[in-house]
Each structure stands twice: as C-alpha cells, then as structure tokens.
Amino acid sequence: MTDDVLLTILIVLPFVGSLLAATFRPNARNSEAWLAGGVALVCLFLLISAYPAIVEREVLRSEAEWIPALGLGFSLRLDGFAWMFALLVTGIGFLVVLYARYYMSPNDPVPRFFSFLLAFMGSMLGIVIAGNLIILLFFWELTSIFSFLLIGYWNHTAGARDGARMALVVTGFGGVALLAGVVLIGQIVGSYDLDQVLASGEAIRSHVLYLPALILILLGTLTKSAQFPFHFWLPNAMAAPTPVSALLHSATMVKAGVFLLTRLWPVMAGTPEWFWLLGLAGMAALVLGAFFAIFQHDLKGLLAYSTISHLGLITMLLSLGSPLGAVAAIFHMMNHATFKASLFMAAGIIDHETGTRDMRKLGGLFHYMPVTATLAMVASAAMAGVPLLNGFLSKEMFFAEAIETHVHSLLDTSQPYVAVIASTFAVTYSLRFIHSVFFGAKPADLPREPHEPPFWMRVPSMFLVLACLVVGIFPAATVGPYLLTAVQSVLGTRTPVFSLAVWHGFNLPLIMSAAALVVGALLYLALKNYLRHSPEGPPLLRHLNGRHLFERGVVVLSLKWSRAAEMFVSTRRLQPQLRILLLAAALAALVPLSMGSLGLRWPAGGDIDPALALVWLAGAACAIGAAYQAKYHRLVALVLLGGAGLATCITFAWFSAPDLALTQLLVEIVTTILILLGLRWLPKRFEEITTEENPWRRRLRRSRDLGIAFVVGAGMATLAYAVMVLPLPETIGSYFLERAYTEGGGRNVVNVILVDFRGFDTLGEITVLAVVALTIFALLRRFRPAPDNIGSPQQQRRQNAFDEAEPDRKAGDTLGDYLLVPSVIMKWLFPVIIVLAIYLFLRGHDLPGGGFAAGITLATAFILQYLASGTTWVEDRLRILPVNWIGLSLLLAALTGMGSWLFGYPFLTSHSQYLDIPLIGRVPAATAMFFDLGVFGLVVGATVLTLIALAHQSVRKLRAARTTTAQAVREEG
C-alpha cells in the first residue's frame, strides 16, 4: 500500500464512518457499535502495518498541492511520534466504542453519539498526521466543535449545555490565538510545511517575532490541554457520557495541546521565555490539579483534576528544554492514556451499576463487583506511581529530571520539592478513589442495586490494566522500541541514551518516590473523616470556582460591555447605524485625498454619449426616488429600484460586458419578485405618525442626514468617474485575456475566471450563498407576521366576498379569472425556460451565460409556476427538494476541485480539450463544466429555498388569521 493511500484512508475513513453512522435508525445500537468499532479497528491495523516502513524510512508522506505560491498544500506525514499518538487514538478509540456499546442506553440517540465520536476520532487523527500547520489548525478546530457536540450530547441537562459551551468558548479562544501564532511562524519560516518549520529552529528562536509567536502558541495549547489558568473548563466537561470522557482525557482533545508542544519542541524550546512561561503554567497545573482532586466528591471530577495535574507534569517536563525531559514527557503521555482511560471506564461502570458517582454515598463495592474493583485499584496504583506499574517508570524519570539543574533560577530550584508535593497529593487522591468506593461500610439507599457489569463492558478496562502491568514489569521489552522510534522522530540527532529498567538502585528519585507514597498515605488517613462529610472543594480555595468566574466574565463581556458599547457607538435602530458607517467611510476616504488630488478634469461635451447620459440620469432618478419612497411606499420604491438596476444592465451592455449585463438582468428579475413576495409580510407604515420631537430639531436631523447622503453619494460617484477616466495601472486583466482560451479552454473570459482562475473564490462565494439561503429558510420558518398583516389583503377579501355571495362561485374564482390567461402562459413557459437554462449553461464557457446565469434562469421557471398556480398546486406535482440541490451541488463543486489531486495537480486545476461527438461534431469540453454545474445547482437550490420559505407564509394555518379576517369583514360590512 502506497503512503498516499494509507494516509488518505486514515484521515478519510473515520469521517465516512461518521456520515454512515448518522443515517442509522435510532435504536440500531449494535449496528452502530459494529460500524464504529470496525472503522477504529481498520485504522489500528493500518497503523500497525505501517510501523516497519516508519522504522525504515522514518517519515511517510503524502502531499497534494493546493496554493503552492503561499506554501499551502494538503500534506500528511506519519513519523514515529505521530504513529504512537495515532495508535493511542485508534486503539483506545476501539476500546471506548466497545465500552460504549454497553454503557449507552437504548433510549439515547445512539446514531448521533457514534457519528460524533467517529468524527472526533478523525479530527484528532488529522491533528496527529497533518504535515502542514494550516491543515493541523483545521483539524484542531474540528476537535473543539465535535467535543462541544459530545460534551453537550445529553443536551436536556443544563450541566451538559453549560459544560459544552464553556469548553467551546475557551478552546475556541485558544484556537484563534494559535491561528495568529501559526501565521507568525509561517512569516518567519516562509512556509507552513511542517518539515520546513521543524528544520528552522535557529531562525525561529532568533527572530524578533519569536516571543509573540510563542505566547500565542502557548495560549492555544494551554487552553486545549486545560492548563493553568485555563484549567477550569475540563471538570465542567464531565457532564459528557463517560465513554467520551475516557477518550477525551486519554488520547484526544486535552492531549492535543501537549502533542503540539512536543511537536514544536525542537524549534521553540531551549529559551528562557519557553522555560518560564511553560514551566510556571505546568507547575501550577501540576500542584493545583492534584490538590483540588483530593477534595472532589464526584468520581469523574476527581479524575478530571488528576488529568489537569498529569498534563501539568508533561508540560513541566517539556518546559525544561532537556532531551531527557522530552523523553519522559512522551513516555508519560503513553502511560497516562492507559491508566486514565481504564479509570474513567471504572467510574462509568460504578455510575452505570449504582446510579451515583458521589464517593460519600459509595463504599464497600468490592463485595458486589470484585473484578471491577481489582481493575480500578491497579489503574489507581499506576496513577499514584506504585512500583511495577507503568506510571511509576515515567514518574521516576520526572523526578530524575526535576533534581537536575537546567536554568539557575528559583523556578528550577523549586522543582524537586514541587514534584514531591504533587506526587504526594496524587497518592492521596488515588487512595481516596480506592478506599472510598470499594472498602468500608456497604452502601445504603443507592439508586440501583450494585453488581458486576456485562463481561464485554469490562474487557476494555481489563486490556488497559494489563498494559499497565506488562509495561510496568517489562518496559524495555514491550514499549522500549516504540518509545525510541517516537523520541527519535521528535529529537532527531539530540536523542539521548535513556534506560527503561525497573530498578536503578537506591538513588534520590527512588527516595522521592517512596516519600511521596508514605506521606500521601498518611495524608489520606488524616483527611479521611473530613472528606466524608466536607462540602466539595478544597479548604480556603472552595469559593475560587472557575465556572462561576467564567460565567461572570461571559456576562460582563457579552452583556454589560456590549450594552455599554451599544449605548456609546450604536443603537438598535438602523438609521443611526448607517449614519455611523457612512461617516466612517467618508472620513477614511478623506485621508488619502488629503495627501493629493485625483487630478480629474471635467468631461468635454463630446466625451459623453447623450443616450448613455440619459440612461444614467434615469437610473439616478430611480435610485433617488426609491430612497425617498422606501419608508412609506415600498411597492413604488421597489419598482424604482428595479429601474436603477435596469440602468446598470444597460451600462454593462454599453461597455461591452454582455455576460455581466445578462447576469444583472436575471438577478434583477428574481430579486424583485422575491422582495415583492416579502413585502406582503412587512408591518404596515403610516405617514401620520405622532411624535413629540421638536419640528426644528426634526428638520435639522433630516438636513444632516441629507448632507451625509449627498457627500457619500457624490464621493462614490467621483471615485467611479475617476476609475473610468484616469489611466489604469498595469492590471491582471491582460493575463486573463491572454490565457483564458489557451489555459482555461474558453472564450468567455468572465466565466473562465469564475470557474477556473478564481475557482476557489467562487467556491467560497457559493458556500456563503448556501449558508445564507439556509439561514433565510430557518428564520422564516419561525417568522410570525405582525397582527395587522395576518389576514388577507383588502382586495383579496373583497374578491372572496363577491365570490361567496354568488351561488355558482367559490372564493378565489375572481382571482383565477384574472390570471387565467397569464397562468396558462406561465405554465407553458416552464419547459421553454428549462431548455433556455440548459442552453445558457452549455454555452457559458465561450459565450454569455454559465452556471450562475443558467441557475437564475431555471429558478425563474419555478417562480413562475408558484405565481401561476399557487404553492399547494405546485408542491403537489413537483418534488423540488432545494436543500438536496444545495448539498449535492456544493459537494460536486468540492469534488471537482479535489479530482485534480488524483492527477497530481493543485486543487481546482481544470483540463480542457475538444471532443468529437457523433452527429454534432467537434465540441469544446472542460472539467470546469462540472464545477459550473455545482454553481448552477446551488443557485437553483438557494433561490427556490428562499421562494419556498416566502411562499409557505401564505399557506400556514394561523389561528389568528381567521379572527383577523372575520373582524375585517365585519368592519367592512
């Protein structure tokens, strides 16, 4: 299997599985688990099969060009460190899927759970094997999004909603900071390619932008890994289902931060700034996390704070700038993943079988579930650093590094003492986990009768505990070669000699470890009775609640400060906002004008064609009239607005831009009709408005607004005139004109630019169009018109009253009589317009037309059917499904761009040639036609979706409509 195929499958398969999982029926728990487990297992086997190639070649690569000029490409790379992490993600991911099969209730929406879980796993794999920092950032944000969905999975509970929101806000803030830091790194190196970045360590550390880049990157990584002072979001994320917590804490999300710190260690570490910033954050998280864990009563809360502490240990090791410290950090990432996933599974089993996670209510569970208790005790011992378990080995390496001198400072000197204190706390909370839950008096009044879970629910925990034992007893033989491969991929030639022996003799690290075990046990004995009856939270710091501080900050930022800013610079009314916007634009334009004049001259009499001048005067008059009438006479304003648009169309045609003229004309037609349909539901406006405003003040305000409008309008007219009469500098227009046919295969330069040269811009624009259409539809679904607009219009009521008064007529007959001939014509035009749309689409690459114009044309055909026959009649006979049009068209456009990767070309590279078609002859063909087809379908879908959203307002059976109509009829009668 080639590197390209292997890495592509690893990155694509979880997302494909996620999409498939979302289509399963709600009660398909077994099928979902088989699918999710199969995806994880396939990825795991692929990684295992790739290990010999990684040992031989060090790095597996796959790259597809995207924007080579900017150093951007969709590149993937798998080295030893990425392989180790990917193995953790897929291996623990598979065990979590098996565990979740028995943990999740049949009443839960399981398809949604497994869909999000697979996407979460795929996002983490994307971070791990990304070969480009921009691609890494993309998957970085995906982990935030899918963790938000998983933490808030049980969205019927306030805790889940609040925890998900907190995680998204904090990690989202960090993601923005990381984006800025990555941009700075790209500016320093000149590329975002990870290989080039990793080869530029000296250039990065010596650059003036190193410190701001470091601060921004640390903000991103520390928020992701819940390190001080951003640690508060992680305990609040415990509202997630326990399988999510097990995966999130062990191999994904919170490990993403320390993964990126390790990945960038060769180029960012070794400076005083790195040591102090990262060391202080890691030390604070190490001690505070362990201290807070002791006083948690929720099992998952204790484990969450312990995760903060262990990640602080890893962060502290990375801050030292020592190769052996980096080795210990990588080793502890592996060890922490195994025992922490097992402990979360044990906590979930206890909650699942007893109905509570409160340690004050638990106790004596060893009598009911001895196997689960044994597994949890071994994993807790590994977390505490007990000898012959894997946690002991990496803790010994941590102690050995802590006693070394790295930087002569108070921070460096205090590290051995801090390490012992934190390890003491770790022993204390580990003992509390074991003793409070499994020993002591048997529990009473539990929500459920405790018992062992199903065998297969215990199997994942059994496997992980076995790994803790095997690695702890035989580290060099089991994990040694894989750890060396991972370390070498990070440190390269700086890889130190290290030993994974269980026994290193009586030395200072062993004494530190023994002291932590003894003092930790004594501390638990001293606190045991206090912990059983105390309120949650550590003494003295109990009121230092991160959640409350976060919520207060959110209130201050989003409510108080925003209201203050609104009072200072804005208003809820549109007119003052436009006034501020136009004044700011005018002032911005005056800055360059103050430095010199435009050098314009008044046009001579022969420079202006009288016919074009009349068109412009008519357009200007229509625009001024539309503005004047917009407030009280909307229909008149809409008609005048259409006149201004028509003047624009004529201007485009006059200046030899037929493609723009055609598109503008079609857009004018469709938007005018859609706005006309929307006017029906706007609240009525009356000129006779009583106001207490002083008449002179009102006139002054209107004069001021008129002056602003005149100045800005005249300024825009002047700039437009300057563009038309001043000599143009060298532009890229000649480039497009010269290459449109030779490289784009089309003579319609505008269309070739849209679908070929600037295809990526067009892809972004149609994506925005899709979002806008879906937003309009969602808003109008919940739109409720003003009470005075619910009833039928007065003319329609009179017509219906006339029809109902006649014995041989029914309501609506008069309107049908009026529209009989036009409706027949509009129905007959439906196939004609379809053919015209196809014609415009096919000719668009060489002549005026194209996907956008053809899409607007076809949408016009549907609009005419709705106007001619009504919503109900059309939808009974036509199944349009505009959302499907939007989704499939956007997918087609994206797949067309990705298709060029199969042939080794950058994204959206097109190919053109002539085809000989029987009976037709030689015709031009370009792959850009498929992209244009996506544009065509999306325009149709977006326009028709907006049309349907407006049309459905008229067919809603509003209770108030009948009342309002009846009242209006009584008033007229």
Side-chain angles (χ1 to χ4, degrees):
M1 185 180 296
T2 64
D3 295 353
D4 291 339
V5 174
L6 172 69
L7 296 176
T8 302
I9 292 176
L10 282 176
I11 204 73
V12 171
L13 187 60
F15 292 103
V16 173
S18 173
L19 292 174
L20 289 176
T23 64
F24 280 46
R25 66 183 189 275
N27 60 347
R29 191 167 53 157
N30 289 331
S31 303
E32 292 279 352
W34 277 102
L35 172 66
V39 168
L41 209 56
V42 168
C43 292
L44 180 63
F45 286 152
L46 288 174
L47 286 166
I48 293 172
S49 67
Y51 182 73
I54 293 173
V55 173
E56 179 183 353
R57 292 187 281 143
E58 295 186 352
V59 183
L60 307 183
R61 291 184 177 87
S62 173
E63 185 166 358
E65 288 189 343
W66 181 19
I67 310 177
L70 298 179
L72 296 179
F74 192 87
S75 57
L76 305 173
R77 69 190 300 277
L78 184 68
D79 60 7
F81 182 53
W83 179 85
M84 180 205 82
F85 237 98
L87 200 73
L88 291 176
V89 173
T90 54
I92 295 180
F94 170 73
L95 297 175
V96 165
V97 168
L98 177 59
Y99 175 82
R101 157 62 184 83
Y102 297 93
Y103 179 88
M104 301 303 294
S105 168
N107 298 323
D108 289 324
V110 180
R112 179 158 58 92
F113 173 81
F114 282 109
S115 177
F116 292 161
L117 191 71
L118 284 173
F120 188 47
M121 189 189 309
S123 303
M124 189 63 198
L125 282 174
I127 291 176
V128 168
I129 66 175
N132 183 288
L133 290 179
I134 300 297
I135 301 299
L136 185 148
L137 270 172
F138 172 76
F139 288 109
W140 184 278
E141 292 306 305
L142 280 185
T143 59
S144 294
I145 293 171
F146 287 112
S147 67
F148 167 78
L149 296 172
L150 286 168
I151 294 169
Y153 173 74
W154 284 324
N155 51 36
H156 57 278
T157 64
R161 296 193 300 269
D162 293 342
R165 182 188 58 164
M166 188 182 300
L168 183 65
V169 170
V170 175
T171 58
F173 162 75
V176 174
L178 182 63
L179 171 62
V182 165
V183 170
L184 292 182
I185 292 293
Q187 293 298 311
I188 296 171
V189 178
S191 173
Y192 297 100
D193 184 78
L194 192 56
D195 288 314
Q196 294 189 39
V197 170
L198 294 178
S200 306
E202 287 299 326
I204 292 174
R205 288 189 293 271
S206 61
H207 201 276
V208 67
L209 293 177
Y210 168 75
L211 182 57
L214 173 64
I215 293 173
L216 291 168
I217 289 174
L218 290 184
L219 282 174
T221 53
L222 295 179
T223 52
K224 202 75 162 183
S225 287
Q227 294 296 278
F228 182 84
F230 310 105
H231 59 283
F232 55 86
W233 72 263
L234 188 59
N236 289 284
M238 293 304 97
T242 300
V244 174
S245 302
L247 186 60
L248 186 145
H249 284 251
S250 61
T252 61
M253 187 64 172
V254 294
K255 286 289 179 64
V258 292
F259 168 83
L260 186 56
L261 287 174
T262 309
R263 176 59 80 198
L264 296 178
W265 189 91
V267 297
M268 304 294 287
T271 64
E273 296 87 351
W274 171 275
F275 173 76
W276 280 96
L277 292 174
L278 199 58
L280 286 172
M283 183 178 291
L286 172 65
V287 177
L288 290 178
F291 181 64
F292 276 62
I294 296 172
F295 301 95
Q296 301 302 307
H297 297 314
D298 181 6
L299 280 173
K300 289 176 67 174
L302 182 151
L303 294 177
Y305 276 105
S306 74
T307 295
I308 294 170
S309 179
H310 281 271
L311 293 178
L313 184 153
I314 295 170
T315 302
M316 192 170 162
L317 283 167
L318 292 172
S319 73
L320 301 177
S322 160
L324 280 173
V327 173
I330 295 171
F331 189 31
H332 196 65
M333 291 180 202
M334 302 168 64
N335 294 334
H336 177 261
T338 53
F339 63 69
K340 188 52 62 72
S342 176
L343 283 169
F344 267 105
M345 291 177 183
I349 289 172
I350 293 165
D351 185 24
H352 194 269
E353 306 306 333
T354 65
T356 183
R357 300 196 305 257
D358 192 335
M359 287 184 282
R360 292 171 297 183
K361 299 178 181 179
L362 296 169
L365 292 184
F366 189 90
H367 299 283
Y368 301 96
M369 43 180 67
V371 177
T372 301
T374 303
L375 296 173
M377 285 189 289
V378 175
S380 297
M383 181 169 64
V386 174
L388 298 183
L389 293 169
N390 59 352
F392 169 77
L393 299 171
S394 49
K395 188 179 73 173
E396 288 283 285
M397 297 174 75
F398 170 51
F399 286 153
E401 277 303 297
I403 61 177
E404 296 291 332
T405 300
H406 305 90
V407 177
H408 292 284
S409 64
L410 178 63
L411 179 63
D412 193 58
T413 305
S414 63
Q415 285 187 355
Y417 308 101
V418 171
V420 174
I421 292 171
S423 297
T424 300
F425 291 159
V427 173
T428 302
Y429 65 67
S430 300
L431 280 173
R432 188 188 179 200
F433 185 97
I434 295 170
H435 184 266
S436 297
V437 176
F438 300 111
F439 297 98
K442 293 183 180 180
D445 300 326
L446 289 177
R448 300 176 194 144
E449 183 67 25
H451 57 83
E452 286 285 7
F455 172 76
W456 287 105
M457 191 175 182
R458 294 197 309 263
V459 165
S461 183
M462 293 167 62
F463 182 87
L464 292 167
V465 167
L466 180 63
C468 293
L469 283 165
V470 171
V471 171
I473 300 171
F474 309 107
T478 54
V479 80
Y482 309 110
L483 177 61
L484 179 63
T485 303
V487 169
Q488 286 176 336
S489 67
V490 174
L491 303 182
T493 56
R494 298 180 62 188
T495 302
V497 177
F498 59 91
S499 171
L500 292 182
V502 177
W503 176 254
H504 291 94
F506 288 101
N507 52 21
L508 186 55
L510 182 63
I511 295 172
M512 294 166 67
S513 183
L517 288 171
V518 173
V519 177
L522 294 175
L523 180 60
Y524 174 69
L525 291 175
L527 293 173
K528 181 176 65 173
N529 293 329
Y530 169 80
L531 292 172
R532 182 160 291 276
H533 304 288
S534 69
E536 190 164 41
L540 303 178
L541 300 176
R542 187 168 293 122
H543 299 292
L544 190 62
N545 190 308
R547 177 178 178 177
H548 292 164
L549 293 175
F550 170 81
E551 290 175 348
R552 183 172 298 179
V554 169
V555 169
V556 170
L557 288 173
S558 63
L559 190 62
K560 294 182 179 180
W561 286 11
S562 62
R563 285 185 177 178
E566 182 185 38
M567 292 176 62
F568 182 70
V569 300
S570 185
T571 175
R572 296 184 181 183
R573 297 175 57 222
L574 178 61
Q575 193 175 27
Q577 293 181 22
L578 290 175
R579 186 184 303 131
I580 294 172
L581 181 65
L582 293 177
L583 281 174
L587 291 174
L590 288 175
V591 173
L593 287 177
S594 63
M595 302 176 183
S597 65
L598 291 176
L600 296 177
R601 61 177 179 82
W602 286 103
D607 292 343
I608 300 178
D609 192 294
L612 181 60
L614 287 175
V615 170
W616 284 2
L617 286 174
C622 287
I624 294 172
Y628 183 75
Q629 297 288 341
K631 191 166 187 179
Y632 300 115
H633 303 283
R634 294 167 178 150
L635 180 59
V636 176
L638 182 60
V639 173
L640 291 173
L641 196 62
L646 186 59
T648 306
C649 296
I650 296 172
T651 303
F652 285 147
W654 193 283
F655 287 105
S656 302
D659 200 86
L660 294 178
L662 174 63
T663 304
Q664 176 71 20
L665 180 62
L666 292 169
V667 169
E668 281 294 330
I669 294 171
V670 170
T671 53
T672 300
I673 296 174
L674 292 178
I675 294 174
L676 185 61
L677 293 174
L679 290 182
R680 158 74 174 84
W681 303 106
L682 291 180
K684 296 178 181 179
R685 303 294 295 269
F686 303 97
E687 294 189 52
E688 297 78 13
I689 298 178
T690 58
T691 177
E692 298 179 359
E693 186 180 10
N694 185 284
W696 289 102
R697 187 175 181 180
R698 182 168 64 249
R699 290 173 186 172
L700 182 62
R701 174 175 54 81
R702 291 177 176 176
S703 300
R704 178 197 60 196
D705 291 345
L706 178 62
I708 294 173
F710 178 80
V711 169
V712 175
M716 287 301 300
T718 304
L719 289 176
Y721 177 71
V723 170
M724 288 188 288
V725 300
L726 292 177
L728 293 175
E730 185 178 352
T731 67
I732 59 173
S734 57
Y735 174 89
F736 293 135
L737 290 171
E738 293 169 2
R739 291 169 172 78
Y741 182 71
T742 56
E743 297 185 13
R747 293 184 174 88
N748 182 356
V749 181
V750 174
N751 185 264
V752 173
I753 291 173
L754 291 176
V755 302
D756 192 331
F757 292 121
R758 303 296 295 272
F760 193 73
D761 290 350
T762 305
L763 181 62
E765 290 163 1
I766 62 175
T767 304
V768 171
L769 179 61
V771 172
V772 169
L774 293 170
T775 304
I776 291 173
F777 182 75
L779 289 173
L780 288 179
R781 280 188 66 187
R782 294 184 173 273
F783 172 74
R784 295 299 180 266
D788 57 355
N789 278 3
I790 293 178
S792 301
Q794 185 178 16
Q795 180 182 0
Q796 185 177 348
R797 293 199 301 268
R798 289 178 176 175
Q799 291 172 346
N800 290 343
F802 171 78
D803 292 334
E804 291 169 353
E806 298 295 328
D808 56 342
R809 299 177 69 84
K810 62 180 183 297
D813 282 352
T814 300
L815 180 61
D817 293 342
Y818 287 157
L819 292 178
L820 180 60
V821 175
S823 64
V824 171
I825 294 174
M826 286 189 280
K827 290 178 182 177
W828 285 355
L829 281 175
F830 188 60
V832 177
I833 298 177
I834 292 176
V835 173
L836 174 62
I838 296 172
Y839 171 69
L840 289 174
F841 173 77
L842 293 176
R843 77 197 294 259
H845 215 51
D846 289 304
L847 295 168
F852 189 89
I856 292 289
T857 303
L858 184 57
T860 306
F862 288 112
I863 291 174
L864 289 178
Q865 300 313 300
Y866 273 83
L867 294 177
S869 306
T871 305
T872 305
W873 187 92
V874 173
E875 294 183 357
D876 284 343
R877 291 161 176 78
L878 284 177
R879 189 172 176 83
I880 305 173
L881 301 177
V883 175
N884 290 5
W885 280 69
I886 292 173
L888 292 175
S889 300
L890 196 59
L891 182 63
L892 175 62
L895 289 176
T896 303
M898 289 186 280
S900 56
W901 289 343
L902 300 177
F903 302 94
Y905 291 98
F907 183 68
L908 273 176
T909 302
S910 67
H911 175 71
S912 61
Q913 67 178 43
Y914 282 87
L915 299 178
D916 291 316
I917 299 179
L919 304 179
I920 296 178
R922 192 173 176 82
V923 297
T927 57
M929 178 180 290
F930 297 105
F931 181 81
D932 212 14
L933 182 61
V935 175
F936 165 78
L938 194 141
V939 170
V940 173
T943 308
V944 174
L945 185 63
T946 305
L947 169 67
I948 291 174
L950 289 168
H952 281 194
Q953 297 296 322
S954 299
V955 297
R956 282 180 175 169
K957 296 187 179 297
L958 297 171
R959 183 185 305 171
R962 295 190 290 271
T963 304
T964 306
T965 304
Q967 290 176 353
V969 171
R970 285 197 299 271
E971 291 172 0
E972 293 174 8

